[in-house]
Amino acid sequence: MMLGFLLARAGVPVLVLEKHGDFLRDFRGDTIHPSTLELMHELGLLDDFLKLPHQEARQLGGQIGDTLLTLADFSHLPTQCKFLALMPQWDFLNFIAERARRLPAFALRTGAEATALIRDGERVTGVCAQTPQGPLEIRCDLLVAADGRQSVLRRQAGLEVMELGAPMDVLWMRLSRHADDPDQTFGRIDAGHIMVMLNRGDYWQCAYIIRKGGYQEIRERGLPAFRQDIVGLAPYLRGREPELRDWDDIKLLTVAVDRLRRWQLPGLLCIGDCAHAMSPIGGVGVNLAIQDAVAAANLLSGPLLDGPPSFDHLRAVQERREWPTRMTQRVQVLVQNNVISRVLASQSRPTPPWPVRLLARSPLLQRIPARLVGMGFRPEHVRSPRAC
């Protein structure tokens, strides 16, 4: 959606396909980081964007065993917004779609699921889609695959996927929030258990971390036992655990960390989760994908105005975005293997290791994770032209 908006803004005719009829679904990536908010400022959209309902997290904290810690402080970032904005992703998508629809070069077609590539020899020249009205064929100078980690188009293209591994999965659920609850977005670590709680105003969006493949074992223990695990991590939730009425209220997110060795074919470019599936650590996936979109618009809007971009043009997008992707995944894998795996395997109450204790005591050091989470390794800026 962001790439379509930016290309149409530059005068490039764009059609965005969305397989669902609308965006009203329970997404997992609802954190909008300062890097993305800075892009909204550069586009002149920030004031209107922040009028949408959202919560602001200016610090990230955690509780390890009995110890409360502040781990990241965004107040010193060199950005317009020194906070994470917590907003339902459907609101974000609707906002961008509404602004994009004002551009004569932009079109959005919902209820259109991409099913197959169209090729002319070695070159991708379009896409087949299924719609309620029947099959559809679309020819284009460039097809951008942004259909996620289970991408149909990526699989059909035969692009090699490098699996980096993930020792965990996530159970995603919501519980009501009371006025006297803590207001901070928070992570809780105890013996064998990890849960992250996102303050969404009148409810907590909870991500309960489990070991990879452990979901069936949790179900076999029963829902009452799982509810007690939740209350054990956050005792003030006691009395609200019956809101988890059945397992349909708890969604399994299968975590994968991977990336394509090559993000493109002639006529095809992969971005976002389609090019690199991220761990939920840091909540950076959506924001990294938006950085891909901005870089792609910066590099491709000019060539697309003249016709099909060359393979070198497409390769330049990967060259621009591969290093920050690699570095982000390297940090995520380091945390997965050295923190999360050990906690999930432990039966004893943890205490903060000395680097974490040092971080919690030093406001200056708290700027480092804030920078990595809030801005990433190579934040992009809007350089694509504005034709309308």
Side-chain angles (χ1 to χ4, degrees), residues 193 195 208 218 221 224-234:
H193 302 284
M195 184 168 69
Y208 187 90
I218 289 175
R221 288 179 57 226
F226 179 69
R227 289 171 177 158
Q228 288 308 305
D229 289 342
I230 298 291
V231 171
L233 283 169

Side-chain angles (χ1 to χ4, degrees), residues 34-335:
S35 60
T36 300
L37 295 170
E38 190 72 6
L39 295 170
M40 303 301 281
H41 169 67
E42 293 173 4
L43 291 166
L45 302 177
L46 182 61
D47 289 344
D48 287 342
F49 184 67
L50 291 179
K51 291 176 184 176
L52 297 174
H54 68 281
Q55 290 75 45
E56 298 176 3
R58 300 177 183 275
Q59 294 181 327
L60 293 181
Q63 180 173 334
I64 302 177
D66 293 323
T67 307
L68 295 172
L69 306 161
T70 297
L71 302 175
D73 180 357
F74 300 104
S75 63
H76 299 278
L77 291 180
T79 54
Q80 291 290 315
C81 298
K82 304 178 190 304
F83 54 81
L84 301 182
L86 304 176
M87 178 187 295
Q89 196 175 130
W90 57 76
D91 285 343
F92 189 9
L93 286 164
N94 281 327
F95 180 86
I96 298 298
E98 188 272 332
R99 294 303 173 121
R101 285 190 179 101
R102 302 179 186 182
L103 303 172
F106 181 87
L108 169 64
R109 182 152 186 175
T110 57
E113 181 176 4
T115 56
L117 301 174
I118 300 174
R119 298 176 185 256
D120 183 3
E122 295 297 314
R123 186 174 187 84
V124 174
T125 57
V127 63
C128 297
Q130 186 63 41
T131 75
Q133 294 76 36
L136 179 69
E137 288 191 3
I138 301 165
R139 305 283 173 163
C140 54
D141 289 337
L142 174 64
L143 176 64
V144 178
D147 52 338
R149 61 188 63 197
Q150 303 297 330
S151 171
V152 171
L153 302 182
R154 178 175 81 175
R155 185 167 61 250
Q156 289 198 1
L159 296 170
E160 181 183 354
V161 181
M162 296 181 291
E163 302 282 352
L164 304 182
M168 64 192 191
D169 290 325
V170 176
L171 299 181
W172 193 248
M173 73 211 82
R174 61 176 64 183
L175 291 166
S176 60
R177 183 177 174 274
H178 295 174
D180 56 351
D181 285 351
D183 59 4
Q184 190 177 34
T185 291
F186 219 62
R188 296 176 176 272
I189 298 177
D190 213 330
H193 302 284
I194 304 174
M195 184 168 69
V196 177
M197 302 175 64
L198 305 179
N199 177 1
R200 301 305 303 273
D202 59 352
Y203 68 92
W204 291 107
Q205 188 73 67
C206 302
Y208 187 90
I209 316 300
I210 64 174
R211 63 177 179 80
K212 174 66 71 176
Y215 179 54
Q216 189 57 40
E217 179 182 334
I218 289 175
R219 289 198 60 155
E220 289 172 357
R221 288 179 57 226
L223 189 56
F226 179 69
R227 289 171 177 158
Q228 288 308 305
D229 289 342
I230 298 291
V231 171
L233 283 169
Y236 58 84
L237 294 178
R238 186 173 300 280
R240 286 173 254 179
E241 70 273 20
E243 294 171 13
L244 302 175
R245 295 161 298 177
D246 53 46
W247 291 105
D248 290 338
D249 292 327
I250 302 163
K251 310 299 182 185
L252 173 65
L253 171 61
T254 301
V255 176
V257 183
D258 64 39
R259 65 175 177 267
L260 294 179
R261 192 174 299 278
R262 193 176 72 185
W263 299 15
Q264 67 288 129
L265 292 176
L268 171 70
L269 174 67
C270 299
I271 63 171
D273 267 11
C274 183
H276 46 72
M278 310 301 292
S279 166
I281 293 171
V284 298
V286 170
N287 300 275
L288 202 69
I290 290 173
Q291 300 291 313
D292 289 354
V294 174
N298 290 345
L299 291 164
L300 299 178
S301 56
L304 278 166
L305 289 170
D306 295 328
S310 69
F311 187 77
D312 286 342
H313 287 133
L314 303 183
R315 187 164 53 195
V317 177
Q318 178 177 352
E319 290 172 353
R320 174 73 186 175
R321 295 304 307 159
E322 187 167 27
W323 179 77
T325 297
R326 284 174 174 267
M327 293 301 295
T328 304
Q329 289 183 327
R330 186 171 297 175
V331 171
Q332 290 184 328
V333 170
L334 184 69
V335 173

